[in-house]
Each structure stands twice: as C-alpha cells, then as structure tokens.
Amino acid sequence: MARKILAAGNWKMNMTPTEAKTLITELVEKCKGAKNDVLVCPPLVDLPAVLEIAKGTNVKVGAQNFYYMDKGAYTGEVSADMLKDLGVEYVIIGHSERREYFSETDEIINKKVTKALEKGLIPVLCCGESLQQREDNVTFDFIRTQIKIALRGVSKEDMTKIVIAYEPIWAIGTGKVATSEQANEVCADIRNCLAAIYDQETADRTTILYGGSVNKDCAAELFAMSDIDGGLVGGASLKSEDFSIIANA
Ligand code: 13P
C-alpha cells in the first residue's frame, strides 16, 4: 500500500525570522533531492519569510497551531483562514506541549481538526503517552482514546487527508528515542484503531509518523518499520545538515 512518506520538522519556539531565513535557505538546498515529502513548521512570525523562500521547492510549510474559531475577539490567536491566505498547507494539532502548557483537551483538538479540514489545511494530529502511562500499561487505551475523540465527526474521505504523529512524551526532547519496535507497535495499533473507526483501506492509506528524539543516526531504522511512515522531528530539525539526512532517510 503506497502511503505518503513525510519528514516533518517542528521548530517549536525557536528561530527568529532572521535565523529562520538562513535555516530554510540551507534546508531547501540540502533537501532538493529528497524522495519523500519534506515539511517544516516554524513559529507563526517566521511563516511569511519561510513561505517566500520555500515557494516552488519540494519543502512544504506548516504552522504549529491555530485557533478553531473563524474570526473575532480572540486576542492573540490566529485563524485557519489567515494561515491559508499566507499559503500554509499543514498545521500541527494536539502536540503534547500544547496539551500540557496550554491546557488543550481532546475536545479542543477535535474542534481544531474539523476546522482545519473545513478550511483545507492538512492536520498533523499528535498523540502519545507519558512515562507513567507506559509503566501503567495503558498506552494503547490512552492513545486510542486520544485518536477517537480527536477524529469525532471526521468523515472517511477527510481521514485520508490527515497525518497522524505518534510522539511518546517520555521521548520528546529527552534524547531517549523509542526503540523501532516500541514505536512501530504503537503506530500499528493506531492503524488498527483507524481500521475499526473507518475501514482497513483508510487505515492503510494513512501516513503515521513517529516523533521523539529522532536524529540523523536513528531515522533510517525507524522509517524502515512497517507502520512508521516518517518522522516529526524537533531538535534535529533546527540543524540543516541533520534534518536533511533525516529527510533523505
Ligand atoms: P524532539 O525531536 O526534540 O524530541 O521533539 C519531538 C517533537 O516534539 C516534535 O514535535
């Protein structure tokens, strides 16, 4: 089953617009030959400069967040229409850092997923368990709950547009990468969950990424696993050399 393979960089709250211009210029050059899709998700204020430089190249651009209302009195927030108007194609939704620091619930994430789809943005829907949940043996149940609520009301047709990213919280920014087997078994279970909600064909078509301390040395092994279709990369996406190796893995 041919699935879209994607190497995505989440820059998080790093890179001023000036620094972003340098990084995206280097990335565009180094990722020219990548056979897979390449995506970068810079901070909001970097988007205009990054979009300008990435235009017409194989590097796609996404945002890290948006608000699910269309417009109005929501000080500090940015709408899907605003991102679309800039030329943004993807948006990360439900990252564990947004769940933890900005109190995003599964219900809020569901609203963002449905709004992104309505507005033609491709959601990169994140899920993942904490160390405590892994030790309590509730990883699969927990992630299935996150997925089921996030996808509430999402049609089968719309599901084919969504990218899912499995990011165990204990592996994010810790240098502690999940083993290929650990990552693959959860990605496979997410696919089984999608098959139960929709059908096997839809599940088989869905791109599922792994994220959590992905680096240039472990990327190829992770991406070679049966149910891992690429990566969502934090720290290593800030170094053009490292990210281009991952993008080419
Ligand atoms: P790190 O690659 O820095 O662990 O971050 C992963 C992540 O959270 C990507 O969204």
Side-chain angles (χ1 to χ4, degrees):
M1 175 63 60
R3 284 196 282 270
K4 179 170 68 181
I5 305 297
L6 179 66
N10 174 8
W11 294 5
K12 307 194 178 181
M13 198 172 75
N14 296 291
M15 299 286 144
T16 63
T18 308
E19 291 165 342
K21 277 185 201 166
T22 307
L23 179 56
I24 187 65
T25 304
E26 290 173 8
L27 277 176
V28 160
E29 185 54 36
K30 293 194 166 100
C31 293
K32 252 184 199 159
K35 290 186 196 76
N36 309 319
D37 286 3
V38 181
L39 169 68
V40 294
C41 300
L44 279 174
V45 290
D46 297 349
L47 284 171
V50 170
L51 280 158
E52 180 66 29
I53 295 167
K55 201 172 179 175
T57 76
N58 61 331
V59 178
K60 308 212 177 292
V61 181
Q64 297 173 19
N65 183 37
F66 76 108
Y67 193 51
Y68 56 76
M69 296 301 284
D70 283 339
K71 58 160 74 173
Y74 304 102
T75 302
E77 293 297 324
V78 162
S79 73
D81 285 332
M82 293 171 189
L83 295 177
K84 276 297 278 188
D85 188 72
L86 272 184
V88 169
E89 286 180 70
Y90 288 76
V91 64
I92 297 173
I93 299 176
H95 194 281
S96 60
E97 287 151 16
R98 295 217 53 90
R99 294 177 191 256
E100 181 180 351
Y101 304 126
F102 305 98
S103 309
E104 288 198 12
T105 61
D106 288 322
E107 285 72 20
I108 291 173
I109 288 155
N110 174 244
K111 285 185 180 154
K112 292 189 176 192
V113 168
T114 50
K115 182 56 72 175
L117 290 165
E118 177 195 322
K119 299 293 184 179
L121 290 166
I122 302 172
V124 179
L125 169 62
C126 302
C127 58
E129 83 288 4
S130 65
L131 187 58
Q132 187 66 58
Q133 287 159 335
R134 177 157 284 266
E135 285 172 358
D136 289 343
N137 269 321
V138 296
T139 297
F140 294 108
D141 289 342
F142 180 75
I143 289 172
R144 279 176 174 253
T145 303
Q146 286 186 322
I147 294 288
K148 282 179 192 163
I149 300 175
L151 296 178
R152 196 184 278 153
V154 173
S155 69
K156 190 167 101 170
E157 197 207 333
D158 274 344
M159 183 59 225
T160 62
K161 299 171 192 152
I162 299 178
V163 173
I164 292 185
Y166 165 54
E167 300 203 308
I169 296 168
W170 49 271
I172 295 177
T174 57
K176 203 173 158 190
V177 196
T179 65
S180 305
E181 290 73 24
Q182 277 175 328
N184 196 57
E185 72 172 358
V186 179
C187 291
D189 193 64
I190 293 169
R191 209 176 294 289
N192 288 337
C193 178
L194 297 177
I197 304 172
Y198 299 99
D199 55 32
Q200 192 61 49
E201 196 206 334
T202 308
D204 286 341
R205 281 174 64 180
T206 304
T207 296
I208 304 180
L209 311 178
Y210 165 78
S213 298
V214 174
N215 60 54
K216 61 179 171 33
D217 301 318
C218 67
E221 186 188 322
L222 282 162
F223 300 176
M225 301 303 285
S226 60
D227 284 284
I228 303 177
D229 310 313
L232 181 55
V233 186
S237 74
L238 301 173
K239 297 178 211 135
S240 61
E241 186 64 34
D242 290 25
F243 188 65
S244 62
I245 293 172
I246 295 168
N248 287 298

